[in-house]
Amino acid sequence: MGTEHVKLGKYSLLGEDIIMAFESWREINRIRKNHRDAIYFYANLQDRFYTIEENDILPDELNPDDKNLLKAFCDCTCIEETEKNKMCNLYRQIEQGTKEPIKMDDLETWVHLETRSGKKALMAVLCYLEKDEKGLIREYVGMIRIMRKQELENREIVTSFSNDKNPAFFLRKIARFQAEHPEREYAYIQFDVRRFKYINEKYGSDTGDDILRYIYDTLDVMCDEEHLHCRLSADVFQIVTYYNSREEIMEFIDKLDEKIRRYGDIKLSITYGVNIVPGSSTAYRKHGDEAGLARAEGKQTILNKVVFYEDTLMNHVKQTGAIEEVEEEALRREEFQVYLQPKYQYDRSHAKIVGAEALVRWIDANGKCKSPMEFIPVFEANGFIYKLDCFMWEMVCKVIRRWLDTGRQPLPISVNVSRTYLQKEDVAGYIKNLIDKYQIPMELFQLEITETTENAESLSYINSLKQAGFTLLMDDFGSGYSSLCMLKNTPFDVLKMDRQFLDECLDSKQGKTIISHVISMSNDLGLSIIAEGVENRGTADFLYDNGCSVSQGFYFSKPVPILEFEHMLDEQQR
């Protein structure tokens, strides 16, 4: 083609400049063949030679004298600071790739830009990298173009399906990745933004969404084919990559954190959990969950932003031993106390307490209140949970009996029943004896059973509780995999929508539709429904408008000691 002046649509490119600096015109032609609506730019990083295709789209600031378009993006004032950060991340990645080997063959990001005509558009920026035998970037051909409507829709679809609401997409990618080298170890890195709900409340949900998109776009730039990445639910992201050493993982996390810890003037604090697993393992979801446990552990302190799961496992062993050593003595000393979380009937203008859930709190001899997350899993694993629940059941019976004896209007209290002992102990008989002992109406003592995968034995025991006359509540509806099957086969009276299920569904229009249909379905089945974890008026109003009038959560009240609950009832009845 020589040095002819190449014409493509309304843009032109000096073929001579490109041929002088780039070995193969066929490469340029290959790239151009699929993208004839783009503005092209080029850089030879050894000779520091740059060129930009003549165009009437980019503003003057992005047509600098030195023709270094990516650097111009970092220096310009024609885009918002947050958009500039994305371009700077891409620019720095390329500059770093001239000094350290890079495995990616191209880098891509998106930026909102006002064109020379004054039109605002989302532009795709893509750089095809040419590397030497050492893997160092020596030159690149870039293109920037306005994304078409269909591409924008496709991008939204891919993003929405590449998350934990449809996990199979990402899990299949992990499976293929690990199958390539099952002899190697892999790192599951999971991270989220601390206090993200506060950020949403302070700056608005639109800004919160922009932050999540910024993080995702940064991952697109930083992660190559050896760093699979995905947005899970809400503000939780996950990366799966090869594991060679802690130092290498920490170096990657430090580079990532440097790029995403600030969005404009908003400083973000990120917590990372890391799980190291053998490549031969196929428990992909479990490995991610374990990275999530490490991440949750990291949120307990500001001293360490990165926590490895194997470290938390060692700490867990020590903590388990300490808990088991004192559990019997704590029960004997009645360090376990019943707290009641009110259930409210709500109609936008008024909220009335109509019941309560009994929750355990462990207040030790030093007055320290232990989180149930510290001890309940330990008790469920070693079987002590049955002793604790028996204690809780009797304490609740005593409370109801006292209300009856003092002339107070009694309200139903629901207690938790763990499936860990449901098939081993005569739960129905034990509680029935307590009810007879304290002479309380059975309808005031309700049983909450956590939703989980069903089997014939558990179905039999749940049916025995129903036949004994108990009111049954399915706890955490929506948190597992068998909700609808459980409804079909078991005699529950009340559904309690899981807090996380509610939070995730309220993030989108489709999710709100799901909530609305769950409420309608429960009504059609003749089931009552209660929402857990209601933390703001907007959620309470939405639930009421869609037919769920009974809720519990911090918007109404946190769990409180029995005497405080009784004071709340007295205030309500005045």
Side-chain angles (χ1 to χ4, degrees):
M1 296 183 67
T3 59
E4 65 185 299
H5 196 72
V6 182
K7 292 281 187 181
L8 291 174
K10 61 181 178 180
Y11 310 123
S12 66
L13 177 68
L14 287 176
E16 180 177 9
D17 289 345
I18 296 295
I19 291 173
M20 288 172 59
F22 202 72
E23 285 187 1
S24 174
W25 174 259
R26 287 178 300 177
E27 285 299 300
I28 298 292
N29 199 39
R30 175 182 64 81
I31 297 168
R32 277 191 168 284
K33 183 170 62 176
N34 296 322
H35 302 288
R36 296 186 177 276
D37 58 346
I39 305 164
Y40 284 82
F41 54 97
Y42 169 79
N44 183 311
L45 299 173
Q46 290 177 301
D47 300 333
R48 293 295 166 181
F49 170 85
Y50 305 93
T51 187
I52 306 173
E53 184 175 20
E54 293 179 10
N55 67 89
D56 56 7
I57 291 183
L58 297 179
D60 292 338
E61 278 189 279
L62 297 180
N63 283 287
D65 293 338
D66 64 1
K67 303 299 182 183
N68 187 345
L69 179 59
L70 296 185
K71 185 174 183 299
F73 266 112
C74 294
D75 298 333
C76 75
T77 60
C78 60
I79 59 175
E80 294 183 6
E81 193 67 27
T82 52
E83 300 283 283
K84 188 187 298 186
N85 288 342
K86 290 198 294 187
M87 292 304 302
C88 289
N89 284 340
L90 186 146
Y91 177 62
R92 292 191 200 103
Q93 189 81 348
I94 289 177
E95 289 295 311
Q96 183 180 332
T98 64
K99 303 167 187 174
E100 300 174 9
I102 186 170
K103 294 175 182 175
M104 288 175 278
D105 293 320
D106 55 66
L107 293 172
E108 185 174 16
T109 192
W110 295 265
V111 60
H112 290 87
L113 176 68
E114 185 172 321
T115 64
R116 197 177 299 179
S117 65
K119 177 185 176 182
K120 288 188 176 181
L122 179 63
M123 312 285 283
V125 182
L126 177 63
C127 293
Y128 297 92
L129 311 177
E130 284 293 321
K131 298 174 286 188
D132 62 18
E133 65 280 358
K134 296 179 181 179
L136 301 177
I137 302 174
R138 290 296 174 247
E139 50 192 339
Y140 61 81
V141 174
M143 69 171 184
I144 179 170
R145 63 185 179 82
I146 298 174
M147 293 189 72
R148 294 180 289 272
K149 180 180 178 181
Q150 185 61 49
E151 291 176 309
L152 293 172
E153 292 175 354
N154 290 344
R155 183 174 181 239
E156 290 298 320
I157 291 171
V158 169
T159 300
S160 65
F161 273 85
S162 303
N163 59 32
D164 202 44
K165 295 181 179 65
N166 189 352
F169 183 89
F170 188 52
L171 294 181
R172 284 196 294 269
K173 290 177 68 176
I174 297 174
R176 290 193 295 269
F177 183 43
Q178 289 189 201
E180 291 177 2
H181 296 286
E183 76 285 355
R184 297 191 64 169
E185 288 187 304
Y186 291 76
Y188 283 63
I189 305 169
Q190 196 177 108
F191 66 92
D192 70 352
V193 181
R194 287 177 185 256
R195 301 185 304 129
F196 188 70
K197 283 190 175 181
Y198 168 77
I199 291 173
N200 264 335
E201 290 173 3
K202 182 175 181 179
Y203 299 99
S205 57
D206 287 344
T207 297
D209 291 343
D210 289 341
I211 290 172
L212 297 179
R213 276 191 289 269
Y214 170 69
I215 293 174
Y216 194 86
D217 289 344
T218 302
L219 288 175
D220 276 345
V221 171
M222 280 200 64
C223 295
D224 55 24
E225 67 274 8
E226 293 183 359
H227 292 78
L228 307 185
H229 67 281
C230 171
R231 176 189 169 195
L232 299 179
S233 57
D235 62 318
V236 181
F237 296 81
Q238 185 166 294
I239 301 167
V240 179
T241 186
Y242 293 123
Y243 175 76
N244 297 311
S245 67
R246 282 201 178 197
E247 292 73 22
E248 184 179 284
I249 293 298
M250 290 298 296
E251 182 180 355
F252 173 79
I253 289 175
D254 286 342
K255 289 178 180 176
L256 173 62
D257 197 67
E258 183 181 353
K259 290 178 169 60
I260 64 176
R261 66 188 178 194
R262 184 172 289 280
Y263 178 81
D265 295 330
I266 304 174
K267 184 178 180 181
L268 306 177
S269 179
I270 315 294
T271 304
Y272 302 83
V274 184
N275 187 26
I276 310 304
V277 306
S280 57
S281 173
T282 58
Y284 313 117
R285 180 182 284 275
K286 176 174 177 286
H287 298 325
D289 290 343
E290 289 168 344
L293 289 175
R295 171 179 57 81
E297 182 78 12
K299 299 184 85 164
Q300 305 303 313
T301 175
I302 62 172
L303 300 178
N304 193 0
K305 70 181 179 184
V306 183
V307 176
F308 284 76
Y309 178 69
E310 61 180 329
D311 295 342
T312 68
L313 201 59
M314 292 176 63
N315 290 335
H316 177 69
V317 170
K318 294 177 183 177
Q319 292 169 1
T320 298
I323 288 171
E324 291 181 332
E325 189 176 342
V326 299
E327 60 190 14
E328 292 284 358
E329 180 68 11
L331 186 60
R332 187 185 66 81
R333 293 164 59 99
E334 295 190 1
E335 292 181 3
F336 298 103
Q337 297 185 16
V338 175
Y339 274 49
L340 298 177
Q341 183 167 36
K343 299 173 185 175
Y344 281 83
Q345 188 157 29
Y346 175 77
D347 64 0
R348 277 185 170 264
S349 61
H350 182 255
K352 177 184 178 182
I353 301 174
V354 293
E357 178 183 0
L359 299 167
V360 65
R361 293 294 182 264
W362 183 356
I363 301 175
D364 64 21
N366 298 317
K368 179 184 176 184
C369 183
K370 296 179 184 294
S371 166
M373 293 301 296
E374 292 181 46
F375 59 87
I376 293 297
V378 177
F379 294 166
E380 288 185 329
N382 68 14
F384 188 75
I385 189 67
Y386 182 64
K387 285 187 177 182
L388 177 60
D389 281 355
C390 288
F391 169 79
M392 292 287 291
W393 299 336
E394 184 154 13
M395 292 298 292
V396 168
C397 286
K398 289 180 179 180
V399 170
I400 296 174
R401 182 68 256 167
R402 181 161 53 82
W403 288 352
L404 292 168
D405 291 342
T406 57
R408 187 187 300 274
Q409 179 64 42
L411 295 176
I413 299 177
S414 59
V415 299
N416 288 283
V417 175
S418 173
R419 288 177 182 266
T420 59
Y421 53 70
L422 200 56
Q423 299 170 32
K424 304 173 186 176
E425 307 290 346
D426 181 12
V427 175
Y430 186 89
I431 299 178
K432 197 79 163 54
N433 288 336
L434 284 176
I435 288 174
D436 291 341
K437 175 182 176 181
Y438 290 95
Q439 292 294 295
I440 62 174
M442 184 172 282
E443 63 268 19
L444 296 179
F445 194 98
Q446 302 177 341
L447 306 183
E448 294 198 15
I449 303 174
T450 303
E451 173 216 352
T452 186
T453 304
E454 64 177 47
N455 55 56
E457 289 80 9
S458 64
L459 288 177
S460 174
Y461 279 93
I462 293 171
N463 278 311
S464 72
L465 293 172
K466 182 62 179 176
Q467 289 167 7
F470 291 104
T471 300
L472 302 183
L473 290 74
M474 180 189 282
D475 197 15
D476 298 337
F477 178 83
S479 64
Y481 302 95
S482 56
S483 302
L484 295 178
C485 272
M486 292 292 291
L487 286 181
K488 177 173 67 74
N489 296 323
T490 52
F492 285 97
D493 302 288
V494 182
L495 300 185
K496 293 190 72 177
M497 278 191 290
D498 176 63
R499 172 182 175 176
Q500 185 176 354
F501 172 69
L502 191 64
D503 284 348
E504 290 183 3
C505 285
L506 290 176
D507 277 347
S508 66
K509 181 179 179 181
Q510 294 100 322
K512 290 179 179 178
T513 302
I514 291 171
I515 295 292
S516 177
H517 283 294
V518 166
I519 296 170
S520 297
M521 177 190 67
S522 69
N523 292 331
D524 291 342
L525 292 172
L527 302 175
S528 300
I529 190 162
I530 299 173
E532 293 185 287
V534 176
E535 296 188 351
N536 57 68
R537 176 162 186 167
T539 300
D541 287 348
F542 171 80
L543 291 166
Y544 173 75
D545 291 343
N546 285 274
C548 177
S549 61
V550 180
S551 303
Q552 67 185 83
F554 279 28
Y555 173 65
F556 297 107
S557 172
K558 64 182 180 180
V560 296
I562 293 170
L563 290 179
E564 186 174 338
F565 179 83
E566 291 174 346
H567 177 71
M568 294 167 68
L569 282 182
D570 292 340
E571 289 292 317
Q572 176 174 284
Q573 292 171 3
R574 286 176 184 168

